[in-house]
Amino acid sequence: MSRIVIHQLFFNRVNYLNVLKAINITQNRYKADKFGHTFALIQEGSEIRELPLIVRNVCSNEICCNECTKTEETDINNDELVNKLNNLKNETDRKKADKEIVDVIRGFKKCSSVKSLVDLLEIVMLDEITSEVALCALKKIVELENFKLHIASNKLLSTLNIKQPNIDYTKTPILEKLLEIIMTGDNNSAVVGILELISIDRVRVLPFDIFKNKISEEILCRVTENKLNIDDLCRSIDAFSKLNEVKTADQLWIGIMDKSDQINEKNVIQVFRILHLLKKSRKTIMKLLERCLQQFWHHLCTDNLIEMLYTLRLTKCSSNIILKTTSRWINTNIHTMNENNLTSLVNELNNSNYVDIGIVRALERYIKAKHSTINSPLLMVEIMNYCSKFNVRSENIFEGCAMYIIQYGSNITPSQFRDLFWPFGQLNYKPKSAIEFWIKVENIMNKEFHNFKTQETIDILLSCVYLEKHPLNFVHGVFNTSFLHHLFENGGKNDYTKIKLKIIDQCMTLECDHYRGPVLPKDKFAKSIWCDYRIKRILKEISSTLENIFQGYKISYSTILSRLPLMSIYIIDALVHPDKFELNNRYINFKKHPGLCTVILVHLPEHYCWEKEHLTGIETTRIRHFQKIGLNVMSINYEKILELKYPAELTEYINNRYENMLTPC
């Protein structure tokens, strides 16, 4: 097969079929059977993609095509059906002709055996059969034969005494005649239907190679002639993919581009569904869908949005335009959504790793209006998981969740309670109705403590200590041999679980007078601890400013104190201490000299909640612990330092942080 290579062809806004026509004319100079293949370089903005193109030899006279379908059963009066088929020839009334076609198709569907159907087709005038009737006949034959295979696979063949008819369907001219009728007809849907039928024909009733080749060529031919609509193109891509003809499916992108004016809110999801079946042309179709969605996004329904987001995740495509359109739709229609749809939509947003102010504000309005009437705990769980994943610390959402726990906490499962409660500690949010909230939490923990999974128990206790609520009645149930043995048996040996246990132990030791700790042993062996290079770099840049402010003091960087566990959260970014302190100052009891030394902590973007105003629970706990052992704490915002352009601004900011530093508790 001849090939034409277009080395450089840039598309902006151009009629794609005009390109095809030009290629077809050029191809006449070459000797090819029916189709050739080439590619085009298409430019959209700054992106350049190489896409496959169909090259049709217009001099060829042997272009064929076909399609697929499904089937059904029963028996019929052959003479009556023959008369109806013959009457189609002399029919002048269109409505009556359509009725006759419907009756004929119903007759085919009533056939209970392939032999009766083939016998009937042999005596009727096949030249008078329409494409719809021919397709129905082929569907019925495939259905009956595949049904027998299904029966045989369930070992019921001998019981039902089903006999194989003595007909060689691969050689009978009837099948090829029916194929010819469909290919020469104007019904494009029937042509695509044959292709679908081939993909589901497990017993190969139809001559596979003959039918597939002819139908494939016919569909490609009709694509070059711009005959297939959006529905037919999407069905064709799906059928080609089922036949493992991925390259052929990829070539149909040009038909979709030229029929882009047919894409609307009713069929846009159909186009989305074929995205994962495409390879080279996927991004081009995605760009087309982005442009189309901006025109009719307000007409979409919730199911459409859910499927769009699922498709993006399935194809691993990223589209900020589609995600922003989804956010705009949610912000507009949140009040019309039921709980199940909203649960599914929030779940897809969670999986898509997307958050913006529009979605957050919409969820705030929804929770504020309906928190007392929400029936599904799954919806509250998904919303709180969304807040937990993106560090969204919203007062309206958290207050609504607190009220939901107070009202319905007794009816939720232990896992659901963990998902609802954990974000409070993670993002350091203390509910306004604190007394009722904590009474309810304690009641649930008393009732369900032994029903929680080990990791869930640790997360709940960790959330409590982040919020300065010390679970003295429950912590001893964790720090015992039985619980820890069960924890490690269920995969709790990872470092993150050990860190959680150490933080709980340290919080109880420093903040709870009735706790006799620490319970966990200290690390006896030296080990490396990861330090963020961003912190080291920013401290190096502002070191001269810090030295000017803390004159007469010495600054030590990346300091570790013996009183605290050997963990990354307890590494002091910079410790300001008097010169008279020896190098082993980390062993000094700072409580004897409260406020004498100052801890400088650099807070990275991930240390803050989503709105960049509040620190997360672990960072506030870190600061609190440094205060507990007698240190001043001076916090510096990493992003704020990067925004400052002049030395005077930096000095002013550092002075402000020095004046507002926290003193020991």
Side-chain angles (χ1 to χ4, degrees):
M1 183 172 290
S2 63
R3 296 175 61 86
I4 299 177
V5 179
I6 303 177
H7 293 287
Q8 281 192 331
L9 177 60
F10 297 98
F11 287 66
N12 290 319
R13 299 185 64 181
V14 67
N15 188 314
Y16 290 87
L17 282 187
N18 289 340
V19 176
L20 276 184
K21 292 175 183 177
I23 293 175
N24 287 338
I25 294 171
T26 306
Q27 182 68 4
N28 289 338
R29 299 196 304 267
Y30 296 82
K31 299 199 176 186
D33 293 333
K34 297 177 181 66
F35 291 98
H37 304 284
T38 185
F39 68 86
L41 296 178
I42 297 181
Q43 180 179 6
E44 291 187 75
S46 59
E47 293 186 19
I48 299 176
R49 288 186 288 274
E50 178 183 299
L51 297 181
L53 285 178
I54 311 165
V55 180
R56 180 183 170 193
N57 182 359
V58 294
C59 295
S60 176
N61 297 320
E62 299 178 0
I63 299 178
C64 307
C65 145
N66 221 342
E67 130 180 296
C68 87
T69 52
K70 305 177 186 176
T71 46
E72 281 191 17
E73 294 184 57
T74 2
D75 238 324
I76 108 180
N77 185 328
N78 286 359
D79 294 333
E80 181 181 353
L81 185 57
V82 170
N83 291 334
K84 288 183 177 181
L85 288 170
N86 291 332
N87 287 339
L88 291 178
K89 182 176 182 179
N90 301 320
E91 192 60 62
T92 54
D93 185 0
R94 180 61 188 168
K95 292 183 180 180
K96 188 174 179 181
D98 292 340
K99 185 178 181 302
E100 292 291 340
I101 291 174
V102 171
D103 291 340
V104 171
I105 292 176
R106 286 176 180 171
F108 282 137
K109 290 182 178 181
K110 293 178 181 179
C111 290
S112 59
S113 67
V114 178
K115 188 175 186 309
S116 63
L117 180 59
V118 173
D119 290 343
L120 175 62
L121 290 171
E122 286 179 338
I123 61 176
V124 300
M125 298 178 63
L126 291 178
D127 291 338
E128 307 305 327
I129 292 180
T130 63
S131 299
E132 295 90 338
V133 175
L135 181 60
C136 180
L138 288 172
K139 279 185 178 182
K140 192 62 186 179
I141 292 173
V142 172
E143 179 185 316
L144 292 173
E145 287 299 306
N146 282 270
F147 177 74
K148 288 197 299 182
L149 175 65
H150 173 72
I151 296 297
S153 65
N154 287 282
K155 299 182 180 179
L156 295 175
L157 186 61
S158 58
T159 305
L160 299 178
N161 195 25
I162 299 177
K163 295 182 180 180
Q164 178 77 13
N166 297 320
I167 300 174
D168 187 352
Y169 299 109
T170 62
K171 294 183 180 179
T172 179
I174 292 179
L175 297 180
E176 295 186 4
K177 181 62 178 176
L178 293 173
L179 176 64
E180 183 183 350
I181 291 170
I182 294 173
M183 287 175 31
T184 56
D186 295 330
N187 192 326
N188 297 315
S189 180
V191 176
V192 180
I194 291 293
L195 189 65
E196 294 172 336
L197 192 60
I198 296 171
S199 65
I200 64 172
D201 182 13
R202 295 176 57 196
V203 297
R204 295 289 186 254
V205 179
L206 306 177
F208 180 77
D209 292 333
I210 297 174
F211 270 51
K212 190 188 80 167
N213 293 337
K214 289 186 176 181
I215 285 296
S216 299
E217 290 177 355
E218 181 65 21
I219 288 178
L220 293 178
C221 176
R222 297 194 182 203
V223 169
T224 62
E225 294 173 352
N226 197 24
K227 289 184 177 180
L228 300 186
N229 58 31
I230 287 293
D231 178 69
D232 294 333
L233 288 163
C234 293
R235 289 169 57 202
S236 299
I237 291 172
D238 181 60
F240 276 126
S241 299
K242 290 178 180 177
L243 293 170
N244 293 322
E245 296 287 339
V246 181
K247 291 183 178 179
T248 306
D250 236 354
Q251 292 175 334
L252 303 188
W253 68 273
I254 199 164
I256 294 178
M257 296 298 292
D258 201 68
K259 292 290 185 180
S260 59
D261 58 327
Q262 294 183 2
I263 298 178
N264 52 44
E265 65 274 11
K266 296 180 180 178
N267 59 24
V268 66
I269 291 303
Q270 194 172 0
V271 182
F272 261 100
R273 287 174 185 153
I274 55 96
L275 281 177
H276 74 283
L277 305 175
L278 303 174
K279 289 188 176 181
K280 293 185 177 181
S281 59
R282 180 184 297 167
K283 288 188 177 180
T284 300
I285 301 300
M286 176 66 76
K287 293 294 182 182
L288 170 65
L289 290 171
E290 289 176 350
R291 293 192 292 269
C292 293
L293 280 176
Q294 294 178 6
Q295 301 174 10
F296 51 77
W297 63 269
H298 48 283
H299 293 302
L300 298 175
C301 66
T302 312
D303 291 337
N304 290 343
L305 288 177
I306 294 171
E307 192 159 358
M308 283 163 47
L309 294 175
Y310 173 76
T311 302
L312 288 179
R313 184 160 53 89
L314 181 66
T315 56
K316 298 181 180 179
C317 290
S318 59
S319 173
N320 286 331
I321 294 177
I322 292 177
L323 291 171
K324 288 179 180 178
T325 301
T326 301
S327 172
R328 188 177 179 187
W329 188 96
I330 293 173
N331 212 8
T332 305
N333 300 284
I334 188 76
H335 60 285
T336 65
M337 300 175 66
N338 60 47
E339 292 182 9
N340 291 334
N341 285 340
L342 184 55
T343 302
S344 300
L345 191 53
V346 175
N347 178 261
E348 285 301 329
L349 288 170
N350 228 334
N351 294 329
S352 300
N353 296 314
Y354 182 73
V355 61
D356 70 10
I357 190 64
I359 295 173
V360 174
R361 293 292 177 261
L363 293 176
E364 286 177 344
R365 296 200 311 272
Y366 186 90
I367 294 296
K368 187 176 181 179
K370 299 186 177 183
H371 68 84
S372 59
T373 60
I374 293 176
N375 297 318
S376 173
L378 294 177
L379 174 57
M380 289 302 304
V381 167
E382 284 297 338
I383 292 176
M384 293 307 288
N385 284 341
Y386 187 75
C387 292
S388 175
K389 182 170 185 176
F390 300 107
N391 288 350
V392 176
R393 188 182 185 274
S394 166
E395 180 179 339
N396 289 330
I397 294 177
F398 277 73
E399 284 299 325
C401 182
M403 294 304 299
Y404 186 86
I405 291 175
I406 293 171
Q407 294 179 18
Y408 304 107
S410 303
N411 301 324
I412 60 179
T413 66
S415 295
Q416 290 172 345
F417 173 72
R418 181 270 171 201
D419 291 339
L420 293 177
F421 180 67
W422 164 248
F424 285 88
Q426 178 197 1
L427 304 180
N428 192 37
Y429 184 86
K430 298 177 181 179
K432 294 179 179 178
S433 52
I435 297 177
E436 296 178 16
F437 178 77
W438 287 109
I439 290 175
K440 190 66 176 182
V441 169
E442 186 176 6
N443 291 337
I444 294 172
M445 291 178 67
N446 279 321
K447 179 182 176 182
E448 303 289 350
F449 186 80
H450 297 290
N451 295 325
F452 289 116
K453 297 176 182 177
T454 53
Q455 291 288 351
E456 292 172 351
T457 303
I458 293 174
D459 287 342
I460 291 171
L461 296 185
L462 187 60
S463 185
C464 288
V465 297
Y466 281 164
L467 295 171
E468 299 181 79
K469 297 294 180 180
H470 309 114
L472 191 61
N473 297 335
F474 307 101
V475 74
H476 294 295
V478 171
F479 295 117
N480 64 64
T481 306
S482 175
F483 182 90
L484 294 177
H485 179 72
H486 185 59
L487 172 66
F488 295 148
E489 273 189 343
N490 289 275
K493 289 186 179 181
N494 61 71
D495 292 339
Y496 189 48
T497 301
K498 293 178 182 178
I499 289 173
K500 290 180 180 179
L501 291 172
K502 288 182 179 180
I503 293 175
I504 294 173
D505 188 31
Q506 192 62 36
C507 285
M508 298 297 294
T509 301
L510 291 176
E511 300 176 0
C512 183
D513 296 333
H514 301 287
Y515 181 77
R516 302 303 176 189
V519 176
L520 298 178
K522 289 187 177 181
D523 293 311
K524 296 181 180 180
F525 302 99
K527 63 178 182 180
S528 61
I529 299 179
W530 180 81
C531 296
D532 199 302
Y533 180 75
R534 292 175 292 176
I535 295 176
K536 291 185 177 181
R537 180 169 56 83
I538 206 72
L539 285 173
K540 185 176 181 180
E541 292 179 3
I542 66 173
S543 60
S544 58
T545 306
L546 292 174
E547 290 171 358
N548 290 333
I549 292 176
F550 293 99
Q551 291 182 3
Y553 286 81
K554 184 178 179 181
I555 301 178
S556 301
Y557 298 97
S558 299
T559 306
I560 299 174
L561 303 179
S562 63
R563 290 200 57 191
L564 299 175
L566 193 60
M567 299 190 308
S568 58
I569 68 166
Y570 290 126
I571 294 179
I572 299 175
D573 299 330
L575 178 64
V576 181
H577 56 86
D579 285 333
K580 64 181 180 180
F581 275 29
E582 299 177 3
L583 291 177
N584 63 346
N585 59 69
R586 59 183 181 279
Y587 298 106
I588 291 176
N589 185 353
F590 292 101
K591 277 194 172 182
K592 292 183 179 180
H593 312 279
L596 181 62
C597 299
T598 300
V599 170
I600 299 176
L601 299 180
V602 178
H603 293 298
L604 301 171
E606 55 266 31
H607 294 171
Y608 290 90
C609 298
W610 182 67
E611 75 284 358
K612 303 300 181 185
E613 294 181 8
H614 300 88
L615 290 168
T616 59
I618 191 171
E619 289 300 317
T620 54
T621 301
R622 179 191 187 194
I623 293 173
R624 196 167 65 244
H625 286 182
F626 287 136
Q627 291 179 271
K628 287 285 184 182
I629 64 174
L631 296 167
N632 297 323
V633 179
M634 173 178 163
S635 297
I636 295 176
N637 189 327
Y638 174 80
E639 288 188 322
K640 182 67 176 177
I641 293 291
L642 295 181
E643 292 174 1
L644 301 176
K645 298 180 180 180
Y646 304 105
E649 293 178 340
L650 177 61
T651 302
E652 181 182 357
Y653 175 75
I654 298 297
N655 279 325
N656 178 265
R657 301 314 303 155
Y658 174 74
E659 293 171 1
N660 291 280
M661 68 180 177
L662 301 174
T663 57
C665 297

